Each structure stands twice: as structure tokens, then as C-alpha cells.
Amino acid sequence: MRFTGTPAVSDGDGRTPPTPEALEAIGDAEVYFGFGMSEPLFSAARRLRWVHTAAAGVASALFPALRESDVLLTNSAGVHAVPIAEHVIGGIIYLLRDFETARRLQRAGEWSREPFVGPNSRVREIGECRAVIVGTGGIGGAIAERLTALGARCVGTRRHPERGAPRGFESVHPVDELPALVARATLLIVAAPATAETSGLVTAALLDRLPQGAIVCNVARGTLVDEDALAQRISDGRLRGAVLDVFRQEPLDASSPLWSLPSVLLTPHVSGVSPRGFWGRELDLFFDNWRRYVAGERLRNLVDKAAGY
């Protein structure tokens, strides 16, 4: 059989223009399941009652028409937690074990132990680290569990600290305590939703409160971190480095200094990729919610459209 339809993009968060087939099919649909939701697609829907996005972030889906409607919106928070947590752990180990130097020496064909065993060695153990994790949901929690298992101490910030500390966290604090918390952090890990409140959260001033040699990881959204300030402090040697999977502009502009900094491990928004693991978890979530929807029960991962997550 020869495929004659328009190829669709099974990725992203809804910014990709919808195909003609999708625009036609959604006209009478009651439920939509895809990556994000775009305004043209939503405008074409006449009977829509529930949108489920295979992405965790929903900022691009909260355009006025959807936000002000009574259409339910659920996301895939937690579905990506395992691969993203492993991505963060891998990046942290890359910097703590100074694998960047190992790769440089390997490319040069040079056998030298001095960078690792000498007085200027940057090699550290995870057990020496104190991590501040911004966002204690599925992703932040998965990161904390793994870091704690490896000996690190983890504290977190969340919008509602009264809900307690999830497994893996020693304690959880309100976001306004972040400046005090980072003053003793070896690792600052950003894993919070992109909302009006979190935009620009990690400022130059906040980065300056981190101890010398700290590592910054961002697997949330690029809007949460001042990239220019981060690049400058890594270049100056104030910070040890960064593990970055998300950026203010994607693709990252070719002129960004982040490309050329050896202490930055940079990936193109792929920390959640897990070809074998994703769809099993995603379909388990969707089919459980489908049962709940048919039964009139409250859906899992229901987005608070006013809060933005």
C-alpha cells in the first residue's frame, strides 16, 4: 500500500503546523491525543471536550481560546521522568569525573594522569554534592531519587511546599528561599514547568550566589535560565560547567557562546527521548485516563490552566 497522506511530526509541543488531514479529522472529534495543541487545530474542532498532549510542557498550548474554554487539558508529566533523570545523572558524572579532559587527551593521543591526580584535579564524587532541585514533580523527583541513591543530598523548591517532600528530598522549600538554598549548592538542577512565575527564575544574581565550581543543569525550558549570564560565569571559571538540554531559542543560535565552551554538555532538547520506554508509559497513562473519561472520573495529570501546569 502506498502512503498518500501528509507526514506528521510526532514530537514537540504543538508549534508544528497541523496537517490537512488533522484539520479535517478533528472537526467532529471529542478527544484529541497528540504532541501539544495549536491554535489552528483547536479552531477547527467543533466538539472537542478533552485534549491530551504527549509532552510535559503545556505553555504553548495555553493560548487564550483553549485556556478560557471548558475543554480539559492533560499532559504527560512524569512519563519522561526516567530518561530525563538518567540524562541529568549522566551529564553530572561527565563533569564530576572530568570526562571532557579525558576526551581531549584521547583526541590528542596523549597519556597524562596529571589533570586527574594533580593538585588542580576537578574530579569529584556525587556523594560530595548537595543538590538544589527547582521543581519536585515527576522529573525533579526522579532526579532526586537517583542522586540520593548515589550519596548526594537533595533539597527542592516547589510552589506548594506544604505538600511535603517527595521521596529523595531531605526537605522542600518555597521558591522565594532559592537564593539562600543555592548558596550551599554543588548542583543547581532546573526541572520546573515554564510559567509566568518561573520565567527568568535563574538570574545572574542567583548564579552569583552559587559557590565556586558549582554545576547548573537545565531540563525544564530555556526561558527559566539567563543563558548569557550562565555562559559568562562558566567562561570566567566561576562555575564548573553546565548540562543543558533546553534553550531560550531552539535551535540554539550558531553565535551562542555555549557551543564552544568545553565545560558545557549541550544536547538538542532530547533528554526525554526513550524509543522503547516512552510509548509504554504514555499509552498506560492515556488508556487509564480514557477509562476515567468514559466513567466521568477525574483525569490524571489534569492541567491547572490558570497556573500553567
Side-chain angles (χ1 to χ4, degrees), residues 18 21 23 32 50 56 91 117 145 173 198 205 252 276 292 294 306:
E21 291 85 354
L23 288 169
Y32 169 82
W50 168 32
V117 303
E145 286 186 48
H173 307 262
T198 60
L252 181 63
R276 296 191 178 188
R292 292 166 180 258
V294 171

Side-chain angles (χ1 to χ4, degrees), residues 52-291:
H52 175 75
T53 173
V58 295
S60 65
L62 292 176
F63 44 84
L66 193 154
R67 188 175 61 245
E68 295 163 10
S69 74
D70 57 1
V71 174
L72 301 173
L73 175 62
T74 56
N75 69 0
S76 296
V79 169
H80 305 270
V82 170
I84 291 178
E86 292 181 359
H87 186 99
V88 168
I89 299 299
I92 289 170
I93 291 174
Y94 176 87
L95 291 173
L96 290 180
R97 299 304 303 174
D98 202 7
F99 287 157
E100 65 192 276
T101 296
R103 288 292 292 164
R104 175 177 58 79
L105 295 172
Q106 181 180 346
R107 286 192 296 268
E110 180 181 348
W111 179 277
S112 174
R113 300 179 73 243
E114 180 62 22
F116 306 99
V117 303
N120 296 320
S121 172
R122 298 187 294 183
V123 173
R124 299 289 182 272
E125 296 180 12
I126 290 180
E128 300 175 38
C129 295
R130 185 174 189 269
V132 173
I133 302 177
V134 182
T136 61
I139 293 171
I143 294 169
E145 286 186 48
R146 285 157 177 78
L147 281 175
T148 298
L150 292 170
R153 299 175 58 194
C154 299
V155 299
T157 64
R158 67 188 307 181
R159 189 181 182 204
H160 296 288
E162 69 276 4
R163 294 176 182 173
R167 189 169 59 180
F169 289 96
E170 287 187 355
S171 58
V172 171
H173 307 262
V175 178
D176 60 11
E177 293 184 14
L178 191 55
L181 294 172
V182 302
R184 296 193 297 129
T186 319
L187 309 170
L188 172 61
I189 301 168
V190 185
T195 67
E197 288 74 21
T198 60
S199 180
L201 182 65
V202 180
T203 62
L206 187 73
L207 293 172
D208 285 339
R209 292 188 64 85
L210 284 164
Q212 177 81 24
I215 293 169
V216 176
C217 305
N218 188 10
V219 288
R221 286 293 185 269
T223 55
L224 275 69
V225 176
D226 185 334
E227 289 177 6
D228 297 330
L230 177 61
Q232 185 62 55
R233 282 146 184 79
I234 294 172
S235 178
D236 291 347
R238 267 275 299 122
L239 298 179
R240 170 67 181 86
V243 179
L244 304 175
D245 185 54
V246 290
F247 304 90
R248 183 175 55 221
Q249 174 185 321
E250 297 182 3
L252 181 63
D253 191 273
S255 65
S256 171
L258 294 171
W259 286 109
S260 58
L261 288 171
S263 294
V264 172
L265 182 60
L266 183 158
T267 50
H269 205 150
V270 294
S271 63
V273 170
S274 178
R276 296 191 178 188
F278 169 76
W279 282 110
R281 290 187 292 268
E282 181 64 35
L283 292 176
D284 283 346
L285 170 63
F286 180 76
F287 287 133
D288 181 45
N289 262 350
W290 178 264
R291 179 193 61 77

